Amino acid sequence: MKANNSTDTGCPFCGTGCALSVECSDKGVRVKGDKSNPSTLGDLCFKPIQMAKALDANRLATPLYRSRKTDPFREISWEEAICVLVDQIKSLPTEALYFYLSGQLLTEESYLFTKLTKGYLGTNNVDANSRLCMASAVVAHKMAFGSDGAVGNYADIDDADVILISGSNPAWAHPILHRRILARKKSHPDTQIIVIDPIRTETAEKADLWLGLRSGSDTMLYNALLGELYRRGTCDLDFIDRCSEGFELTLTEALKLSFSDAIALCGLSLKDASTLVELFGSDKKILGLWCQGLNQAVDGVMRNLGFINLFLATGRINAKKGLPFSLTGQPNAMGGREVGYLSNGLPGYRDVRNPQDREVCEHHWNLSSNTISSEVGITITDAVEEILRNEIRLLWVACTNPLLTLPDVEKTTRALNHPDLFLVVQDCVLSETAALANLILPSAAWGEKEGSMTNSERFIKRVRAFKPIPEGAKSDMSIVCDVAKALGFSGFDFTEPSEVYHEYQMLTKSRLCDQSTQEYESLSYQWGGERLYTDEVFATTSHKAQFHPIVSSSLHLNKDEFVLITGRTKQQWHTMTRTGHVPELLKNEEEPYLLINESEANERGMREGDIAVLSNELGSIHLPIRFGTLAVGHLFAPFGYPQAPINTLVPTQNDPLSFQSALKSARVQIAPAKEVRW
């Protein structure tokens, strides 16, 4: 707490990780940027500034329970709630348990879940909503560099000659980074901003060049660029020979199509694509940013690797020439990955398949050898299938709303409503998922708990409380520890988050994400330094970066078929359980909508403001039309609106390597709705 009664903390929204200074007084809560924080320099977007107005909206303040989902909830004590949950866990075989976590949990909370599930319960049936946003980037980083972790940092924006943004709309999803990009452009007008995206987004509107790529053609474009760079003799062969492996096989795949043919299949002009070739062939510093447009795809890992290949081929893994930089979706998705909260992970970027990694964690947790399973747990979309097959009988969801965020809403609803599934939801509000639960555990919200988070650039900061937890609710840390102790497990006698962090940080010692020397109270630290691999020694077995051949693909739509792209809006957050209660954030975003090219709407007899019906084999949704600029045959609709859950139309199709769902490529048909009012 500062002398002026302000509290330094962190923003609970996107992965930018803005640092906040919160002042509490009789007049209410005032949120400002913390200018002393070196990561975000005090800048803020609308969301945290306005969030104080919804801190107490629709809060849960007592555990709720019903043995059957058809019964009404009844209030119970915490003692009874813990007892009910423990009895359920003890009554089921380990393989019937599943845990689904969130990138909005603090690092200490995610660590405790990992310790409880993978260590003491002996199951890797744990996943997190990072599976829906960052899994493909994680796998690609491991394949290319040997480890997860963004290569660069935000300061690379400040001296970039070219900022290449592929599959991301930071003006909406990472507003502070977009402001920093525009500030670079303003101070250095020669800086080029280039956006590759099927939608002419707000980011694209502010760019020097927009490439309206056909969705699904990303790997085709990246291969085409790589092949043409080689043909023109502008690959950095010295770097490739010295620091990498796999280039020849990668190049062979990239050269299978001519440059002109490949670019035509992408729906782009040769002139625009040649601009990219010329830039990558120059000595300019190129910063490559990407996010869900590359990740949320059936070939998401390949899209990531194709983008990374361009930087490796031109020696751009440094401060001088540039680097690829993956943007993280949620505020602590990076911290969750560090503690191993995905189905294959263990703390300190370890893996359950590695016997040495298991042994280190078992020793640290005072467990017997072979307690941690070597079998990777199933992912959340597979867990939905297992619930429907009556194999998963208990699902514990913490701080997320899978009913609206998982693909195929109808199937997810059937699973969560399964009469033999005991659904536990740990959250601060009654979300759509919580409304289907057997047991609801009311947890602390932002502003009420202590811990740490890691942002997109690997910067860790403290999160501090500035208001008390409502009477009847508990911190996520306390809930996990109470359940673990009631199960009879030792090692969970924590009273403060600092104790949890100190235990966890020892598991990072000598790892890429080493935090072992940091003091908790003053925690403000970028692990790995400003950039990773500055010595050109990578985390792979050979210590060389790895090229990976990727197969070119392009979009093929049937007659009268569109590809539906989903994403965030600018001022709302995910499923709107918090931001949806702030009038200032709802302005112009009160209702969902469908973005379509005016000409394509007019061809179907639809005007702006009309209601359209979107449909496919999974169902249908009615949405009001807005006109925009998109690649031909493309539509956009925001997710997170419970009155029109767009994932109703998104099938469960996953990347074969990352198992991340393809949330941006559903095939739909569109028609004018008859006698439907919004």
Side-chain angles (χ1 to χ4, degrees):
M1 188 77 75
K2 290 183 177 179
N4 63 355
N5 293 323
S6 67
T7 302
D8 291 342
T9 187
C11 178
F13 297 117
C14 78
T16 303
C18 295
L20 313 179
S21 180
V22 181
E23 298 177 2
C24 298
S25 68
D26 295 340
K27 297 179 181 179
V29 177
R30 184 184 181 193
V31 179
K32 300 188 297 183
D34 179 4
K35 296 181 180 180
S36 68
N37 183 274
S39 181
T40 54
L41 308 174
D43 204 359
L44 287 183
C45 76
F46 292 122
K47 290 189 287 290
I49 293 173
Q50 301 293 341
M51 252 310 289
K53 297 173 182 176
L55 286 174
D56 299 316
N58 296 323
R59 291 298 302 277
L60 293 167
T62 187
L64 301 174
Y65 171 64
R66 57 187 176 185
S67 59
R68 294 179 301 180
K69 296 187 177 72
T70 54
D71 294 337
F73 284 112
R74 64 181 177 89
E75 295 184 357
I76 60 174
S77 67
W78 271 104
E79 292 75 11
E80 186 178 357
I82 299 298
C83 184
V84 166
L85 178 50
V86 167
D87 286 346
Q88 286 288 329
I89 292 173
K90 286 182 175 180
S91 70
L92 294 169
T94 301
E95 60 270 18
L97 307 176
Y98 201 85
F99 301 80
Y100 188 51
L101 311 179
S102 169
Q104 294 171 73
L105 288 169
L106 303 182
T107 296
E108 294 76 9
E109 297 158 358
S110 293
Y111 171 77
L112 288 172
F113 267 113
T114 301
K115 180 178 179 179
L116 170 62
T117 56
K118 297 181 178 181
Y120 283 76
L121 289 173
T123 179
N124 296 325
N125 276 352
V126 190
D127 210 8
N129 55 17
S130 285
R131 181 70 57 189
L132 303 178
C133 62
M134 298 309 301
S136 291
V138 170
V139 172
H141 277 85
K142 289 180 177 180
M143 292 174 67
F145 306 117
S147 177
D148 189 9
V151 178
N153 75 120
Y154 299 159
D156 283 305
I157 295 171
D158 302 336
D159 64 352
D161 301 307
V162 180
I163 300 170
L164 176 62
I165 304 167
S166 188
S168 177
N169 182 14
W172 285 13
H174 299 88
I176 301 314
L177 296 185
H178 189 240
R179 283 188 202 165
R180 196 159 176 171
I181 290 167
L182 296 182
R184 167 63 182 173
K185 176 73 174 179
K186 184 177 181 180
S187 64
H188 293 78
D190 290 340
T191 304
Q192 291 177 268
I193 303 172
I194 301 174
V195 173
I196 305 171
D197 199 306
I199 310 167
R200 189 175 178 89
T201 61
E202 182 178 331
T203 303
E205 290 284 353
K206 299 293 179 68
D208 297 284
L209 177 63
W210 169 56
L211 286 80
L213 175 83
R214 287 177 182 162
S215 178
S217 303
D218 305 71
T219 53
M220 179 77 71
L221 174 62
Y222 303 145
N223 268 342
L225 296 174
L226 177 60
E228 190 66 8
L229 283 166
Y230 182 77
R231 294 186 190 98
R232 297 188 186 187
T234 51
C235 290
D236 189 339
L237 298 180
D238 178 61
F239 174 86
I240 291 168
D241 291 341
R242 188 178 74 252
C243 299
S244 75
E245 295 173 335
F247 180 68
E248 290 185 4
L249 287 176
T250 302
L251 183 63
T252 298
E253 189 65 43
L255 292 172
K256 284 185 176 180
L257 273 180
S258 72
F259 184 60
S260 59
D261 287 347
I263 295 305
L265 287 168
C266 294
L268 302 175
S269 73
L270 273 177
K271 178 183 177 182
D272 289 347
S274 295
T275 297
L276 288 180
V277 175
E278 291 164 6
L279 290 172
F280 271 105
S282 72
D283 290 331
K284 294 179 181 292
K285 177 173 179 176
I286 302 177
L287 176 64
L289 303 175
W290 79 95
C291 203
Q292 306 312 341
L294 271 60
N295 297 343
Q296 292 176 335
V298 291
D299 59 348
V301 173
M302 292 296 105
R303 293 185 189 191
N304 275 257
L305 289 171
F307 195 63
I308 291 170
N309 282 344
L310 296 174
F311 290 82
L312 290 177
T314 54
R316 287 186 162 87
I317 307 291
N318 54 58
K320 181 178 179 182
K321 291 187 67 178
L323 41 79
F325 189 164
S326 165
L327 298 177
T328 302
Q330 295 184 89
N332 199 35
M334 182 71 76
R337 283 141 57 188
E338 291 163 16
V339 304
Y341 76 165
L342 293 176
S343 56
N344 66 295
L346 286 170
Y349 280 160
R350 291 180 172 85
D351 195 291
V352 298
R353 292 165 289 194
N354 185 311
Q356 291 179 323
D357 288 351
R358 297 196 304 274
E359 184 179 348
V360 167
C361 292
E362 287 164 348
H363 180 265
H364 195 67
W365 291 334
N366 296 315
L367 297 171
S368 303
S369 297
N370 301 317
T371 302
I372 299 174
S373 172
S374 61
E375 185 176 347
V376 174
I378 61 175
T379 61
I380 183 58
T381 50
D382 284 339
V384 168
E385 300 286 353
E386 292 290 287
I387 291 169
L388 293 171
R389 286 194 287 265
N390 212 27
E391 298 294 328
I392 298 292
R393 302 285 299 279
L394 183 144
L395 171 63
W396 184 348
V397 176
C399 200
T400 186
N401 192 10
L403 181 63
L404 295 187
T405 54
L406 289 177
D408 197 342
V409 171
E410 190 275 333
K411 181 169 68 174
T412 303
T413 302
R414 280 192 288 116
L416 297 181
N417 262 327
H418 196 289
D420 293 327
L421 174 72
F422 192 85
L423 176 60
V424 183
V425 175
Q426 181 173 316
D427 210 336
C428 60
V429 294
L430 187 68
S431 68
E432 287 73 20
T433 301
L436 302 181
N438 296 91
L439 179 64
I440 299 176
L441 306 175
S443 60
W446 172 70
E448 299 165 359
K449 56 185 183 177
E450 306 275 339
S452 60
M453 297 193 299
T454 310
N455 72 0
S456 281
E457 65 167 357
R458 298 171 279 102
F459 191 90
I460 308 170
K461 63 181 174 302
R462 280 289 313 280
V463 176
R464 295 176 174 87
F466 53 83
K467 66 187 293 287
I469 300 174
E471 185 177 355
K474 283 193 175 190
S475 70
D476 295 282
M477 184 192 94
S478 296
I479 294 171
V480 178
C481 288
D482 287 349
V483 172
K485 288 185 286 187
L487 285 165
F489 299 142
S490 59
F492 291 87
D493 292 321
F494 300 106
T495 58
E496 298 291 338
S498 58
E499 299 168 352
V500 181
Y501 182 78
H502 290 319
E503 179 179 296
Y504 155 65
Q505 72 177 148
M506 290 301 102
L507 283 171
T508 70
K509 189 173 184 179
S510 301
R511 307 293 293 179
L512 186 68
C513 57
D514 194 335
Q515 304 158 36
S516 60
T517 61
Q518 300 307 300
E519 292 295 329
Y520 182 74
E521 284 305 317
S522 58
L523 191 58
S524 179
Y525 175 65
Q526 186 175 40
W527 62 256
E530 291 184 348
R531 295 168 195 86
L532 301 180
Y533 317 121
T534 55
D535 56 0
E536 297 185 338
V537 175
F538 297 90
T540 59
T541 303
S542 65
H543 301 303
K544 292 189 175 185
Q546 302 294 306
F547 281 94
H548 291 275
I550 59 171
V551 177
S552 296
S553 63
S554 61
L555 180 72
H556 298 285
L557 290 172
N558 297 320
K559 184 180 179 181
D560 294 328
E561 196 173 43
F562 284 77
V563 60
L564 173 65
I565 298 172
T566 67
R568 293 181 190 166
T569 58
K570 186 172 186 177
Q571 297 179 164
Q572 290 301 309
W573 174 253
H574 284 189
T575 62
M576 304 170 62
T577 55
R578 294 178 291 178
T579 53
H581 297 285
V582 182
E584 290 84 354
L585 295 179
L586 278 173
K587 187 177 181 181
N588 299 320
E589 297 188 6
E590 296 90 346
E591 62 182 32
Y593 60 90
L594 180 70
L595 198 69
I596 184 173
N597 285 314
E598 181 177 2
S599 60
E600 291 178 297
N602 290 339
E603 287 172 6
R604 289 155 181 80
M606 293 181 287
R607 298 167 299 176
E608 194 160 31
D610 286 354
I611 304 299
V613 57
L614 286 183
S615 62
N616 60 16
E617 69 281 1
L618 296 178
S620 63
I621 287 183
H622 294 81
L623 291 171
I625 286 176
R626 293 185 190 177
F627 290 156
T629 304
L630 306 89
V632 174
H634 290 66
L635 307 169
F636 170 82
F639 78 92
Y641 286 84
Q643 68 269 44
I646 198 64
N647 285 2
T648 297
L649 304 176
V650 176
T652 305
Q653 296 177 329
N654 297 337
D655 182 283
L657 299 175
S658 69
F659 309 107
Q660 181 165 348
S661 295
L663 298 175
K664 296 192 182 297
S665 56
R667 293 169 181 266
V668 299
Q669 291 181 321
I670 181 174
K674 297 178 181 178
E675 298 181 2
V676 173
R677 294 181 182 273
W678 185 249

